[in-house]
């Protein structure tokens, strides 16, 4: 498989402190990759670098071999969709209006969304179980409902790469399972590539091909999911000797006895 998105020797700093330190990775087309690690290790920052929201202090991010910063933002949005962990909503736009903003890369500056755009937006909402929220004000929705709308907006972009930061954190079990099902279908239909930041290690097992593990701004483990989800690796990643991992029926269950 060809590499669709890559980071090469990435360094990024906040207030002169390096929070990403010489990170390199290559995401192959059609792969589902998980990004794990303790709080504050740099996962969200790395995802922002891969999305182009942040620019590295050193190193480069490439999309299909080209420097990401050289790709015009509207064109970039047709290929890469990013869903941050937290959504800031101030104005009471309806949920469907928020999802329709995902169609902006395909509309001219002086044209409103057409019927086809609205159909795509509604299909995206239906796919994540959020169609019933279409006419609701986004400011009135719960955190989980807002997260579903945010994912629907990303799906409406019809991008080939999805970068999701804790997409299931505010979702109940039903909608978390629905999200994974939608991603799996899109993977088959359009060879979707996904990078997902999560603390829910069970969410990754079985659905994802590859895991990257971070600690203190560095990648400390990379490999197939079942290779990374083992006690020795996880104890090092989370600095917790009490981590336990047990594989049953093709799935790995992880917990801490501390």
């Amino acid at each position: 498989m060809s590499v669709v998105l890559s980071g090469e020797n990435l360094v990024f700093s906040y207030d002169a402190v390096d929070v990403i330190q010489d990170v390199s990775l290559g995401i192959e087309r059609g792969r589902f990759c998980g990004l794990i690690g303790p709080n504050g290790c740099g996962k969200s920052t790395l995802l922002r670098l891969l999305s182009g929201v942040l620019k590295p202090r050193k190193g480069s991010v490439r999309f299909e071999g080209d420097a990401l910063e050289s790709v015009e933002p509207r064109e970039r949005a047709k290929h890469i969709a990013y869903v941050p962990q937290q959504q800031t909503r101030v104005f009471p736009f309806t949920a469907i209006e928020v999802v329709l903003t995902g169609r902006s890369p395909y509309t001219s500056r002086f044209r409103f969304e057409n019927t086809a755009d609205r159909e795509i937006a509604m299909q995206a909402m239906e796919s994540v179980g959020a169609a019933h929220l279409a006419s609701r004000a986004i400011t009135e929705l719960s955190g989980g409902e807002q997260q579903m709308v945010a994912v629907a907006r990303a799906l409406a972009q019809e991008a080939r790469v999805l970068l999701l930061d804790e997409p299931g954190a505010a979702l109940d079990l039903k909608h978390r399972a629905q999200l994974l099902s939608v991603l799996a279908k899109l993977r088959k239909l359009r060879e979707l590539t996904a990078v997902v930041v999560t603390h829910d290690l069970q969410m990754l097992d079985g659905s994802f091909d590859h895991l990257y593990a971070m600690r203190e701004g560095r990648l400390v483990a990379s490999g197939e999911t079942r290779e990374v989800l083992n006690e020795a690796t996880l104890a090092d990643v989370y600095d917790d000797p009490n981590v336990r991992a047990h594989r049953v029926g093709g799935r790995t269950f992880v917990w801490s006895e501390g």
Side-chain angles (χ1 to χ4, degrees), residues 46-123:
L46 179 58
L47 209 66
R48 293 188 190 106
L49 289 170
L50 293 175
S51 71
V53 171
L54 296 177
K55 293 183 179 180
R57 184 169 66 82
K58 294 181 180 179
S60 64
V61 176
R62 294 187 174 276
F63 176 74
E64 294 186 333
D66 296 324
L68 188 62
E69 62 182 16
S70 71
V71 182
E72 194 270 330
R74 280 174 60 88
E75 187 64 26
R76 183 192 307 165
K78 295 179 182 179
H79 304 293
I80 302 174
Y82 165 62
V83 180
Q85 184 176 353
Q86 295 180 334
Q87 311 292 321
T88 302
R89 308 295 185 188
V90 178
F91 299 103
F93 296 113
T94 63
I96 187 62
E97 288 172 334
V98 172
V99 176
L100 275 169
T101 63
R103 299 301 300 161
S104 60
Y106 304 95
T107 60
S108 68
R109 185 174 300 177
F110 304 105
R111 183 177 75 80
F112 290 106
E113 299 86 0
N114 59 27
T115 301
D117 292 320
R118 293 189 68 86
E119 289 178 353
I120 291 171
M122 279 304 302
Q123 288 171 2

Side-chain angles (χ1 to χ4, degrees), residues 34-203:
L35 181 57
I36 66 172
N39 292 330
C41 70
K43 303 185 298 298
S44 295
T45 300
L46 179 58
L47 209 66
R48 293 188 190 106
L49 289 170
L50 293 175
S51 71
V53 171
L54 296 177
K55 293 183 179 180
R57 184 169 66 82
K58 294 181 180 179
S60 64
V61 176
R62 294 187 174 276
F63 176 74
E64 294 186 333
D66 296 324
L68 188 62
E69 62 182 16
S70 71
V71 182
E72 194 270 330
R74 280 174 60 88
E75 187 64 26
R76 183 192 307 165
K78 295 179 182 179
H79 304 293
I80 302 174
Y82 165 62
V83 180
Q85 184 176 353
Q86 295 180 334
Q87 311 292 321
T88 302
R89 308 295 185 188
V90 178
F91 299 103
F93 296 113
T94 63
I96 187 62
E97 288 172 334
V98 172
V99 176
L100 275 169
T101 63
R103 299 301 300 161
S104 60
Y106 304 95
T107 60
S108 68
R109 185 174 300 177
F110 304 105
R111 183 177 75 80
F112 290 106
E113 299 86 0
N114 59 27
T115 301
D117 292 320
R118 293 189 68 86
E119 289 178 353
I120 291 171
M122 279 304 302
Q123 288 171 2
M125 295 194 75
E126 289 171 1
S127 70
V128 297
H132 64 290
L133 303 173
S135 61
R136 296 269 305 278
I138 194 72
T139 51
E140 298 175 356
L141 302 183
S142 70
E145 289 171 332
Q146 289 192 24
Q147 192 69 5
M148 288 190 289
V149 172
V151 173
R153 180 191 182 280
L155 297 180
Q157 284 181 232
E158 297 186 308
R160 290 177 289 162
V161 178
L162 280 183
L163 305 176
L164 306 173
D165 195 350
E166 292 281 359
L171 300 183
D172 57 33
L173 291 175
K174 173 185 175 181
H175 288 100
R176 192 179 305 174
Q178 190 165 2
L179 172 60
L180 290 176
S181 176
V182 169
L183 295 180
K185 289 178 182 178
L186 290 175
R187 182 182 191 177
K188 291 181 179 180
L189 288 174
R190 61 171 92 148
E191 203 174 15
L192 180 72
T193 304
V195 181
V196 177
V197 170
T198 185
H199 287 291
D200 182 0
L201 303 186
Q202 271 70 244
M203 174 184 176

